[in-house]
Amino acid sequence: MAEIVKKPVKITETILRDAHQSLIATRMTTDEMLPIIEKMDKVGYNAVECWGGATFDASLRFLKEDPWERLRKFKDGFKNTKLQMLFRGQNILGYRPYADDVVEYFVQKSAANGIDIIRIFDCMNDLRNLQTAVTAANKEKAEAQVAMSYTIGDAYTQEYWIELATRIEAMGASSICIKDMAGLLLPYEATDLVTALKEKVNIPIEMHTHYTSGVGSMTYLKAVEAGADIIDTAMSPFALGTSQPATEVMVETFKGTLYDSGLDQSLLAEVADYFRPLRDKALDTGLLNPKNMGVNIKTLLYQVPGGMLSNLTSQLKEQRAEDKYYEVLEEVPRVREDLGQCPLVTPSSQIVGTQAVFNVLIGERYKMATKETKDVLSGRYGETIRPFNPEVQKKVLGENPDIITCRPADLIPDEMGTLRKECERWIQQDEDVLTYALFPQVAVDFFKYREAQQTKVDQNVADKESGSYPV
């Protein structure tokens, strides 16, 4: 009789990053998070995602906090748990591609300040935009996890995902994440996809989804049964809706099975008890919109992520054109098709959504095109799975446009020297130049605030190992 092999599912907790980014616009402060860290450190998570994504921008812009100091405080508190961040490939945490020397330096400083796992993705799934970050992470002995931005469309066959995954493994990734940012991966499709991937690659598979469409927990169940090694979950006070499936629910689901995570529900309950008042406060102040907590089936109908839906609604409200909502929703897939059937994730989701609004409100498609639409059609964001619509490309860019076919960052000269000179006046720590590189105006506003408050970076904890990169 064959021996039954147990395969405990590993849990990555998102409440300190994606969960509050998805539900309350990344407004949880460091002081609100720190008191619970010691308890969270005892849970036995695979990792805690606590940095990257929109946390960097929001910390500076809205909370007047130094994201690097936040990371160092997390590292000081999490003695036994790996810390994870989300990294937008060549765009780092910003919205434009950066030179390789900036990407490398940011990876080096992220690892030096406490990050153990760097999840790296590209909105076009163009692996050329990820290689610099992966190589740098490996050099810094951080785990380089590459995320496939999951989407649907006739070009996105199982063969496409298998080929992408094998290339990701070959480029030196430590693991692969199926990043289902819109909640489009249905349960039985997850079975097929994960089964196929496990047959072809020999590195761990992590599942990431959002509950927007209502199928997230079922998708995780089928993915784990098919061999997924890790799932991303959020503690229940900040779970569901546009966030992730709930940690406690998934732990209980697998309890007593081959996939039992072994996590202690009584300890998880204590963590949940801590966050519940923060959720109630967010509800009372209007920061947590109850609409974000429901199921939005339009996600499956139009392949539009939840965050993109709310963005479209606000754009139309500003223009007093809310009656055009369904026209815009129907236009989104057409624009996406024109732009090479790209996945809809930051920043491509904003680009496609804004262009769809323009097309509908102006009454003529592409009569006005945003700078970002022009950049996509020029190849400045990388290669798409399908060619661009040639008629749209011609209408937007004119005759004989300058199209980029190389890796976009190959055309960007080193930037670190220039950036250091520009922000020299404000530098208190090596990392300040990277803060400035990502968000120049927001960074200077923060540096002025820091100076006015007469606060100084604690040089006893600041990283001084490497003031420049590479060495």
Side-chain angles (χ1 to χ4, degrees):
M1 187 173 174
E3 183 185 355
I4 297 174
V5 180
K6 291 188 176 181
K7 194 193 175 209
V9 64
K10 297 178 181 178
I11 305 282
T12 292
E13 177 59 57
T14 68
I15 196 163
L16 301 187
R17 204 286 297 178
D18 200 7
H20 75 103
Q21 178 176 320
S22 298
L23 293 179
I24 59 168
T26 333
R27 295 299 202 277
M28 207 182 286
T29 67
T30 303
D31 285 346
E32 286 174 327
M33 301 185 222
L34 289 179
I36 195 61
I37 283 178
E38 185 179 349
K39 196 153 281 179
M40 289 180 70
D41 194 37
K42 296 174 181 174
V43 169
Y45 292 119
N46 169 69
V48 169
E49 192 201 40
C50 62
W51 211 61
T55 61
F56 202 95
D57 184 7
S59 294
L60 295 163
R61 191 186 301 266
F62 302 113
L63 306 177
K64 294 294 182 265
E65 292 184 3
D66 181 356
W68 298 100
E69 288 192 355
R70 173 184 288 190
L71 176 55
R72 290 193 280 262
K73 287 174 180 176
F74 283 160
K75 192 60 179 178
D76 187 50
F78 282 106
K79 310 287 188 190
N80 309 299
T81 310
K82 289 181 179 180
L83 301 185
Q84 181 172 308
M85 73 172 292
L86 183 67
F87 193 100
R88 297 182 191 131
Q90 211 69 30
N91 295 348
I92 311 179
L93 306 179
Y95 302 99
R96 71 167 178 91
Y98 292 87
D100 286 339
D101 64 335
V102 183
V103 175
E104 291 166 342
Y105 194 33
F106 202 99
V107 168
Q108 191 267 316
K109 283 298 185 183
S110 298
N113 281 281
I115 289 297
D116 302 291
I117 304 170
I118 304 179
R119 176 178 292 171
I120 309 162
F121 79 97
D122 177 66
C123 70
M124 301 294 180
N125 283 330
D126 186 341
L127 299 189
R128 300 175 305 171
N129 293 335
L130 305 181
Q131 186 65 68
T132 297
V134 170
T135 302
N138 287 335
K139 181 178 178 181
E140 297 304 321
K141 305 292 190 289
E143 293 180 39
Q145 180 182 88
V146 172
M148 305 189 296
S149 296
Y150 182 81
T151 189
I152 56 180
D154 56 8
Y156 294 95
T157 61
Q158 193 174 101
E159 289 70 31
Y160 166 81
W161 297 115
I162 291 171
E163 187 201 352
L164 192 64
T166 53
R167 288 169 59 204
I168 287 169
E169 184 176 31
M171 74 193 291
S174 307
S175 58
I176 293 171
C177 173
I178 302 171
K179 180 178 168 61
D180 180 22
M181 55 281 175
L184 298 176
L185 184 57
L186 298 173
Y188 288 104
E189 289 169 2
T191 298
D192 295 342
L193 177 59
V194 173
T195 300
L197 292 176
K198 293 299 286 186
E199 287 175 358
K200 295 293 183 180
V201 297
N202 295 309
I203 53 178
I205 304 286
E206 183 156 357
M207 271 298 315
H208 174 91
T209 194
H210 290 250
Y211 212 84
T212 321
S213 63
V215 300
S217 297
M218 293 182 285
T219 295
Y220 277 176
L221 174 64
K222 302 308 287 185
V224 170
E225 288 176 347
D229 303 276
I230 313 162
I231 53 175
D232 288 3
T233 63
M235 290 303 301
S236 56
F238 284 91
L240 308 184
T242 51
S243 179
Q244 277 75 52
T247 304
E248 305 98 304
V249 172
M250 297 316 303
V251 167
E252 196 65 19
T253 297
F254 294 116
K255 188 176 180 180
T257 74
L258 300 178
Y259 315 106
D260 193 330
S261 67
L263 302 193
D264 182 352
Q265 284 285 22
S266 59
L267 186 53
L268 290 173
E270 291 181 51
V271 176
D273 287 344
Y274 176 83
F275 283 106
R276 201 163 287 111
L278 295 178
R279 170 203 164 97
D280 293 342
K281 175 184 163 190
L283 271 169
D284 292 342
T285 59
L287 196 54
L288 176 55
N289 186 337
K291 287 182 180 177
N292 290 342
M293 301 307 299
V295 169
N296 196 329
I297 199 63
K298 293 190 191 79
T299 299
L300 294 175
L301 296 176
Y302 298 105
Q303 297 100 52
V304 177
M308 185 177 170
L309 279 172
S310 57
N311 194 40
L312 291 177
T313 306
S314 64
Q315 284 185 17
L316 291 172
K317 191 172 183 180
E318 282 176 20
Q319 299 297 320
R320 297 182 180 178
E322 288 136 300
D323 60 314
K324 303 288 188 183
Y325 180 66
Y326 287 102
E327 282 183 60
V328 171
L329 277 184
E330 288 165 10
E331 176 67 1
V332 164
R334 291 194 287 263
V335 174
R336 178 182 175 233
E337 200 67 33
D338 292 337
L339 302 191
Q341 210 178 101
C342 57
L344 296 178
V345 64
T346 306
S348 58
S349 53
Q350 291 91 327
I351 296 169
V352 169
T354 301
Q355 188 61 54
V357 170
F358 277 20
N359 288 357
V360 169
L361 296 190
I362 292 170
E364 181 184 329
R365 304 185 78 232
Y366 302 103
K367 183 175 184 180
M368 182 184 292
T370 65
K371 176 188 179 296
E372 290 77 16
T373 296
K374 292 175 183 175
D375 285 346
V376 169
L377 291 169
S378 300
R380 295 182 188 278
Y381 281 87
E383 188 177 22
T384 52
I385 188 170
R386 284 277 169 81
F388 301 127
N389 182 329
E391 292 178 13
V392 169
Q393 199 174 32
K394 183 179 177 181
K395 183 171 184 176
V396 171
L397 301 177
E399 298 283 352
N400 304 315
D402 183 19
I403 306 296
I404 295 169
T405 54
C406 65
R407 183 184 74 118
D410 288 343
L411 304 176
I412 308 174
D414 284 354
E415 298 182 85
M416 285 305 303
T418 303
L419 291 165
R420 272 205 184 88
K421 285 177 186 170
E422 287 178 5
C423 68
E424 196 170 18
R425 146 92 173 80
W426 304 104
I427 293 177
Q428 286 190 26
Q429 58 182 340
D430 293 339
E431 292 82 359
D432 285 342
V433 67
L434 292 167
T435 302
Y436 176 82
L438 264 54
F439 305 104
Q441 188 55 57
V442 174
V444 169
D445 290 345
F446 171 75
F447 296 150
K448 288 178 179 175
Y449 170 84
R450 182 173 66 183
E451 191 174 80
Q453 297 294 307
Q454 297 184 329
T455 54
K456 297 279 185 185
V457 173
D458 184 352
Q459 296 300 321
N460 292 318
V461 296
D463 171 58
K464 304 188 196 68
E465 291 284 317
S466 175
S468 61
Y469 188 102
V471 289

